[in-house]
Amino acid sequence: MSNVILEGIFLKRSQQKKKTSPLNFKKRLFLLTESKLSYYEYDFERGRRGSKKGSVDIEKITCVETVAPENNPPPERRIPKGEDLSETDIIERFPYPFQVVYDEGPLYVFSPTEELRSRWIHQLKNVICYNANLVQKYHPCFWTDGQYLCCSQTAKMAMGCQILGGKSFRSGRCLLKPDKPLPPTPEENKMMKKQLPPEPVPGGQSRTRKVVALYDYLPMTEQDLELQKGEEYIVLEESNESWWRAQDQNGKEGYIPSNYVTETKDSLEMYESLNPLQFALGTWLLLAAYFKDRSSFPTPYPTHEMLMMSPASKFQGKDGGFIVRDSISNTGKYTVSVFGKSSGDPQGMIRHYVVCSTPQNQYFLAEKHLFNTIPELINYHQHNAAGLISRLKYPVSSQQRTAPSTAGLGYGAWEIDPKDLTFLKELGTGQFGVVKHGKWRGQHDVAVKMIKEGSMSEDAFIEEAKVMMNLSHEKLVQLFGVCTKERPILIVTEYLSKGCLLTYLRDTRRSLQGTELLEMCKDVCEAMGYLESKQFLHRDLAARNCLISEQGVVKVSDFGLSRYVLDDDYISSMGSKFPVRWSPPEVLLYSKFSSKSDIWAFGVLMWEIYTLGKMPYERFSNSETTEHVTKGLRLYRPQLASERVYAIMYSCWHEVRRRQPTAEILFARIQ
Ligand code: ADP
Ligand code: MG
């Protein structure tokens, strides 16, 4: 079987039955590969895949789209109006339908969350984008009781009644991206390569690609090019994934960090696009802040407006502050929320404008001003109020955007000059010796590992460091470079102010919320999905090797480093420092490391998170743990972990053949 791209549990509507009844909806495990979308029975008790119930050939798919929610869902899936349901209750009702249309008609699949639905639609669109038989029209509503609810046609194969793509603001169908870009899977990487051939233009040159800087960047080497936030640049060469050669508007050329820029034309990243879930989460945070500030609000506003106007809100009463977000009431559309003051209303108010589209796929906020893309529309309204409460002056963000780390301190700079380093305080001592907080060129925070002589096979590490420098992901502790000309050698990495995750979990006096714990697991999962896509094994994933940033983001550290440790106690699986408690049976018995052993460790790390830093198998010695684990016994469910969360960690501890194949898939399930 070819590689699994996605795996997830959805509700599937039976295609055979003439009349729809509640019995026609079944929970199935769906697997997406490059050639098939298959669904299976799923044993929830054991967390196991059951027998195959059916599949659709990818090449036969003609369309993948959302479906308008049913008017009359069966009672167990209905979300009663006015009733306050918990997030879990909503998830259990699978309220987000989508359709996979193929030569036998539409297959209706119901997703527990909107985020998961867009992720699947995105991936499905990616795998079908070269199908010969894609259609341009589809049915936005269900085929129910013998007819389509949108157009009343009675033939299941009847041609669609609505043109596709009205809601998408990206031009190329194959280039649809989820709101929050996820690390590409190997399949995606392959596909992106397939999808982006250099387009020849008359004259035989490649078409130029323009990008916009998301952050300022000051050159760190002579070969770098300065970036100014909001300015446009032409990309000249992308052979290095992290550093692109680019040209600014004055014709100056140099290397830029690729994670500091975004596509010009079709990106809303500049304005922060929030999906409703993130929006709701932000709302809770603001709500908490609001209750502290209650006295300053004389009148009750509708909830989210009130929240956005709170002093705690990022709008902060700034006239013309705006965000672009997914619409809450109009699924699939975008809303621009603007804060504005007028002479009659000095306190100011928030107005929400849904981005409307014409049948010709043009967009408008205020009529008469039509645009081909949403960014063009935003751009226009940044200069003209044209009917809005204020022109769009300041894009505001729910999080302070801090510039991400670059892969190294400048293009090609992996050897760092120790004279550029100044040392501040000592952070701790690890396997290789002391770790210090420092500054690079007096400005950039860094952490420096001072490698104790005899603790590392240095030459082998220095060789590997060049590879590790190119691993760059927001959830990985970035390796900036090494100083190898003097002894001790130094390893310079990104600095994370809140230190080690394990200590953070143990010391944290305030009780960590369930959502925070899950977020931590998701952070690690994203990093591991990325490492796996690069075919890079961590080999020592555990809470002690994760760090926490100032903003509370968990990042994975020390990946691959264990290979260079010179210490028998650490290397041998019988040794006292070997991470026995994080290792699967195949490592303990035959030293067989693989991405599956990293996944086992990820499960144990989830367990550490949900026990707030307990020692796994705390009553056992290392050798008792080995015996226990190889016999098939596993860690218990932590009190803070729901059955659902425990099922995820438990699935990491299946025997190697049945263990989840990729961290990426776990990530899809965790959402
Ligand atoms: P080693 O991996 O060499 O055994 P560690 O990575 O465990 O060493 O480092 C020792 C301690 O130093 C950690 O527990 C942590 O508190 C601190 N530390 C290490 N790296 C960083 C960093 N990048 N930012 C902040 N603190 C760090
Ligand atoms: Mg460590």
Side-chain angles (χ1 to χ4, degrees):
M1 193 171 82
S2 54
N3 283 347
V4 176
I5 300 172
L6 282 179
E7 175 181 318
I9 291 166
F10 296 104
L11 208 60
K12 174 188 164 293
R13 197 180 97 173
S14 159
Q15 290 160 287
Q16 267 44 337
K17 314 280 186 322
K18 282 249 150 44
K19 286 266 174 206
T20 41
S21 83
L23 293 175
N24 299 345
F25 294 89
K26 300 242 164 64
K27 280 186 200 168
R28 295 282 181 239
L29 173 72
F30 279 77
L31 293 190
L32 172 65
T33 68
E34 268 189 73
S35 58
K36 278 196 193 310
L37 173 67
S38 321
Y39 41 95
Y40 297 80
E41 271 179 342
Y42 190 70
D43 178 345
F44 284 87
E45 297 262 294
R46 297 193 190 149
R48 230 189 241 179
R49 183 207 294 177
S51 59
K52 186 166 172 175
K53 302 304 284 184
S55 71
V56 177
D57 290 338
I58 293 298
E59 61 180 24
K60 293 195 175 145
I61 298 176
T62 57
C63 167
V64 180
E65 281 299 323
T66 57
V67 194
E70 307 136 291
N71 285 335
N72 225 344
E76 70 279 10
R77 303 205 307 99
R78 196 167 297 154
I79 298 181
K81 287 218 167 70
E83 198 180 305
D84 208 9
L85 293 177
S86 72
E87 206 185 312
T88 333
D89 285 340
I90 293 180
I91 284 172
E92 278 301 314
R93 283 162 209 236
F94 292 86
Y96 299 101
F98 63 97
Q99 52 183 315
V100 177
V101 189
Y102 65 111
D103 57 358
E104 288 178 27
L107 166 70
Y108 293 120
V109 185
F110 296 74
S111 164
T113 67
E114 194 164 8
E115 212 176 341
L116 200 57
R117 175 172 71 174
S118 29
R119 189 180 169 83
W120 273 73
I121 292 181
H122 162 69
Q123 288 287 16
L124 277 159
K125 284 189 173 178
N126 258 338
V127 290
I128 67 167
C129 77
Y130 285 112
N131 282 4
N133 48 357
L134 295 180
V135 293
Q136 279 162 11
K137 285 176 150 191
Y138 80 120
H139 295 284
C141 299
F142 282 101
W143 192 79
T144 300
D145 299 339
Q147 62 170 323
Y148 280 104
L149 298 176
C150 35
C151 56
S152 305
Q153 295 187 76
T154 51
K156 208 173 182 184
M157 305 308 295
M159 198 212 284
C161 57
Q162 189 164 310
I163 296 179
L164 278 167
K167 287 169 192 161
S168 154
F169 59 87
R170 287 176 187 270
S171 44
R173 278 169 49 82
C174 298
L175 289 175
L176 274 167
K177 269 193 193 167
D179 284 343
K180 205 175 156 202
L182 295 161
T185 58
E187 289 76 19
E188 273 182 314
N189 269 336
K190 248 191 277 159
M191 259 177 278
M192 290 304 282
K193 278 187 201 133
K194 254 196 264 169
Q195 287 157 25
L196 292 172
E199 284 179 39
V201 290
Q205 282 176 324
S206 289
R207 205 173 66 168
T208 52
R209 199 156 87 80
K210 281 188 181 168
V211 291
V212 173
L214 288 166
Y215 313 94
D216 289 340
Y217 173 72
L218 280 175
M220 299 200 213
T221 69
E222 280 177 2
Q223 300 191 66
D224 294 354
L225 179 69
E226 179 173 351
L227 290 178
Q228 277 182 3
K229 189 176 165 182
E231 291 295 314
E232 270 193 356
Y233 299 83
I234 296 171
V235 178
L236 304 171
E237 190 203 308
E238 294 171 52
S239 55
N240 182 317
E241 201 180 316
S242 311
W243 294 93
W244 292 346
R245 194 162 175 78
Q247 188 181 55
D248 68 15
Q249 280 158 349
N250 303 320
K252 200 163 170 223
E253 290 183 15
Y255 286 91
I256 58 168
S258 59
N259 53 342
Y260 275 47
V261 294
T262 180
E263 301 292 321
T264 317
K265 274 261 167 64
D266 52 5
S267 172
L268 281 182
E269 265 181 86
M270 299 292 292
Y271 313 112
E272 164 124 342
S273 169
L274 296 173
N275 68 31
L277 200 76
Q278 288 168 307
F279 189 70
L281 204 69
T283 305
W284 283 114
L285 297 177
L286 292 176
L287 188 59
Y290 165 71
F291 282 119
K292 278 197 212 134
D293 271 321
R294 212 185 163 106
S295 54
S296 57
F297 284 89
T299 44
Y301 292 83
T303 323
H304 63 276
E305 302 207 355
M306 166 178 84
L307 294 164
M308 290 161 87
M309 288 171 70
S310 135
S313 139
K314 296 289 174 190
F315 282 78
Q316 287 165 343
K318 260 191 177 174
D319 186 44
F322 75 99
I323 55 170
V324 184
R325 58 178 173 84
D326 281 354
S327 166
I328 294 175
S329 47
N330 291 284
T331 317
K333 294 205 166 176
Y334 287 83
T335 293
V336 179
S337 300
V338 195
F339 180 82
K341 293 177 180 170
S342 65
S343 50
D345 179 15
Q347 277 232 327
M349 67 185 309
I350 304 263
R351 280 285 178 80
H352 308 279
Y353 304 92
V354 176
V355 177
C356 303
S357 51
T358 65
Q360 291 77 36
N361 283 345
Q362 288 193 303
Y363 301 96
F364 63 93
L365 277 183
E367 260 166 296
K368 290 194 202 136
H369 304 288
L370 296 172
F371 304 91
N372 292 329
T373 65
I374 298 182
E376 281 172 44
L377 171 153
I378 300 294
N379 194 315
Y380 173 81
H381 285 285
Q382 283 186 298
H383 300 100
N384 307 281
L388 311 184
I389 185 170
S390 159
R391 76 180 168 86
L392 310 177
K393 294 182 195 163
Y394 313 98
V396 289
S397 155
S398 64
Q399 282 177 1
Q400 244 346 326
R401 259 181 194 272
T402 45
S405 293
T406 52
L409 299 166
Y411 171 69
W414 64 278
E415 179 73 48
I416 289 175
D417 185 345
K419 288 194 208 73
D420 286 336
L421 294 170
T422 40
F423 295 100
L424 303 165
K425 78 172 199 289
E426 198 169 304
L427 296 168
T429 307
Q431 182 63 32
F432 300 111
V434 176
V435 184
K436 288 189 176 172
H437 175 201
K439 292 270 182 191
W440 182 74
R441 296 196 180 156
Q443 216 183 21
H444 300 270
D445 280 302
V446 290
V448 185
K449 277 191 187 190
M450 314 179 91
I451 306 302
K452 199 168 52 181
E453 259 177 79
S455 69
M456 175 184 264
S457 19
E458 296 182 353
D459 292 345
F461 169 75
I462 292 167
E463 220 17 66
E464 173 74 359
K466 293 177 202 164
V467 176
M468 287 162 114
M469 292 263 305
N470 285 324
L471 297 172
S472 185
H473 186 272
E474 57 175 332
K475 306 291 165 69
L476 275 188
V477 176
Q478 181 66 49
L479 173 64
F480 284 141
V482 287
C483 306
T484 62
K485 303 273 186 263
E486 291 165 25
R487 292 293 177 271
I489 66 165
L490 308 177
I491 301 179
V492 183
T493 68
E494 178 182 359
Y495 166 71
L496 284 101
S497 63
K498 292 201 169 138
C500 165
L501 173 64
L502 185 59
T503 319
Y504 181 84
L505 288 166
R506 288 180 179 172
D507 288 359
T508 197
R509 301 246 173 253
R510 70 202 171 94
S511 59
L512 283 161
Q513 302 279 318
T515 48
E516 261 175 282
L517 300 177
L518 193 60
E519 271 311 306
M520 290 178 170
C521 299
K522 275 165 72 173
D523 288 341
V524 176
C525 210
E526 282 180 52
M528 294 309 291
Y530 172 80
L531 283 185
E532 200 188 300
S533 76
K534 298 284 176 193
Q535 292 164 352
F536 193 99
L537 301 188
H538 190 299
R539 294 166 189 263
D540 196 7
L541 180 63
R544 65 181 171 278
N545 280 333
C546 295
L547 296 163
I548 289 223
S549 79
E550 186 59 33
Q551 288 80 24
V553 176
V554 176
K555 302 199 186 194
V556 171
S557 173
D558 294 338
F559 32 94
L561 268 196
S562 62
R563 288 170 295 165
Y564 308 102
V565 172
L566 291 179
D567 180 345
D568 286 343
D569 283 346
Y570 187 97
I571 303 165
S572 152
S573 65
M574 307 294 276
S576 59
K577 293 186 194 159
F578 188 86
V580 169
R581 294 160 203 273
W582 287 263
S583 300
E586 74 274 11
V587 165
L588 298 172
L589 298 173
Y590 332 105
S591 301
K592 188 173 179 336
F593 290 92
S594 66
S595 59
K596 303 277 183 91
S597 49
D598 274 354
I599 284 169
W600 179 289
F602 173 70
V604 181
L605 169 56
M606 276 186 82
W607 188 91
E608 291 183 276
I609 292 176
Y610 276 89
T611 55
L612 304 178
K614 279 209 171 131
M615 169 73 97
Y617 319 94
E618 58 191 332
R619 287 177 214 288
F620 294 158
S621 66
N622 273 359
S623 57
E624 283 166 348
T625 301
T626 304
E627 205 185 311
H628 182 82
V629 165
T630 47
K631 263 200 240 147
L633 298 171
R634 298 293 179 259
L635 288 162
Y636 60 86
R637 175 165 76 84
Q639 260 180 7
L640 293 173
S642 64
E643 286 294 345
R644 206 181 155 85
V645 165
Y646 186 54
I648 297 170
M649 62 177 93
Y650 203 94
S651 70
C652 301
W653 307 323
H654 287 324
E655 59 160 312
V656 66
R657 267 184 301 126
R658 288 198 302 117
R659 209 171 299 153
Q660 293 296 314
T662 69
E664 175 72 11
I665 287 164
L666 284 166
F667 176 68
R669 284 243 227 129
I670 282 185
Q671 331 198 54

